[in-house]
Amino acid sequence: AQSVTQLGSHVSVSEGALVLLRCNYSSSVPPYLFWYVQYPNQGLQLLLKYTTGATLVKGINGFEAEFKKSETSFHLTKPSAHMSDAAEYFCAVRVSGGYNKLIFGAGTRLAVHP
Amino acid sequence: KAGVTQTPRYLIKTRGQQVTLSCSPISGHRSVSWYQQTPGQGLQFLFEYFSETQRNKGNFPGRFSGRQFSNSRSEMNVSTLELGDSALYLCASSQGAENTEAFFGQGTRLTVV
């Protein structure tokens, strides 16, 4: 069965510091992987996706993620945090053969301090 | 291009009642999925509809049901509401293929009292 593990339910960084949010997945077949961001009382906004091809994926708002098959990881990074990045971030895997069913990680709440 | 629209945004219901939530997908999208988000269980898949047919279902009781209309709009219904059904219900729209992304609506916050 496919699953997603996000290491660290809370991450705190200073403004301008590197953001690293960790995601590991379990899948018996090549996965489709996604990162979403959720602001308070809002829905989910897609940051980036990996389907096939280039393993370094660039998304919106300066975020990027690298698919590492050998490590079954899809960590999200941003070189310099901004106050507006404070939100909850979710990693998700699409179930192969499950059409549009997404399996989500538990989420990581990112706090950015001045 | 309009995004995914969910109505209503907020809803308060009493235990035992039923509720219907609505979702209008992005124009041209034929797939609509529903998710329940709670602090304890996180984001959980309810079901997916594609071209008016349910093609995937999560592990929820039969009190949770849905349907999709010919214009791709979808509704989900929860009957005999329980306190534990209080949650943010999110609808996601996509073109339907597995390698396409899902776009989410703002959600409907359901509170059962």
Side-chain angles (χ1 to χ4, degrees):
Chain A
Q2 286 155 310
S3 65
V4 176
T5 301
Q6 290 185 240
L7 297 173
S9 58
H10 290 82
V11 170
S12 181
V13 301
S14 299
E15 193 173 20
L18 170 72
V19 175
L20 171 60
L21 304 182
R22 300 177 187 273
C23 172
N24 287 88
Y25 68 91
S26 170
S27 175
S28 58
V29 296
Y32 299 126
L33 295 161
F34 305 84
W35 275 100
Y36 285 88
V37 62
Q38 186 177 35
Y39 297 98
N41 297 316
Q42 299 291 319
L44 303 176
Q45 180 182 10
L46 180 68
L47 283 175
L48 47 79
K49 69 173 182 178
Y50 169 78
T51 53
T52 58
T55 57
L56 183 61
V57 180
K58 294 188 183 300
I60 62 172
N61 301 339
F63 285 94
E64 62 182 36
E66 186 171 11
F67 170 63
K68 291 188 177 180
K69 184 179 178 181
S70 61
E71 299 177 8
T72 61
S73 69
F74 190 56
H75 301 331
L76 182 71
T77 60
K78 182 175 181 178
S80 177
H82 191 272
M83 297 295 288
S84 61
D85 294 327
E88 190 153 23
Y89 292 79
F90 294 92
C91 180
V93 62
R94 174 160 286 152
V95 177
S96 177
Y99 303 105
N100 283 299
K101 177 179 179 179
L102 290 168
I103 304 266
F104 284 91
T108 297
R109 187 167 298 279
L110 175 67
V112 182
H113 301 286
Chain B
K1 201 172 192 182
V4 180
T5 303
Q6 291 188 245
T7 55
R9 287 292 311 277
Y10 302 92
L11 209 47
I12 300 176
K13 289 288 188 178
T14 304
R15 273 181 300 173
Q17 287 186 315
Q18 73 165 12
V19 66
T20 299
L21 312 181
S22 179
C23 173
S24 294
I26 292 170
S27 178
H29 285 190
R30 297 164 64 190
S31 168
V32 173
S33 300
W34 289 88
Y35 293 82
Q36 182 195 64
Q37 185 177 26
T38 60
Q41 299 299 316
L43 282 152
Q44 293 187 287
F45 173 79
L46 281 156
F47 30 65
E48 184 209 0
Y49 287 87
F50 182 82
S51 294
E52 302 180 66
T53 300
Q54 185 184 89
R55 65 177 185 180
N56 211 338
K57 189 176 188 302
N59 295 323
F60 279 82
R63 299 185 298 106
F64 291 81
S65 63
R67 59 178 175 169
Q68 186 179 34
F69 302 95
S70 57
N71 62 357
S72 292
R73 190 177 71 84
S74 177
E75 289 181 347
M76 68 163 282
N77 184 276
V78 187
S79 63
T80 319
L81 284 166
E82 301 177 358
L83 295 179
D85 298 332
S86 295
L88 181 66
Y89 290 88
L90 292 164
C91 163
S93 137
S94 78
Q95 293 176 332
E98 288 188 348
N99 64 344
T100 58
E101 56 268 48
F103 297 91
F104 283 78
Q106 302 271 55
T108 294
R109 172 75 62 185
L110 172 65
T111 302
V112 182
V113 297

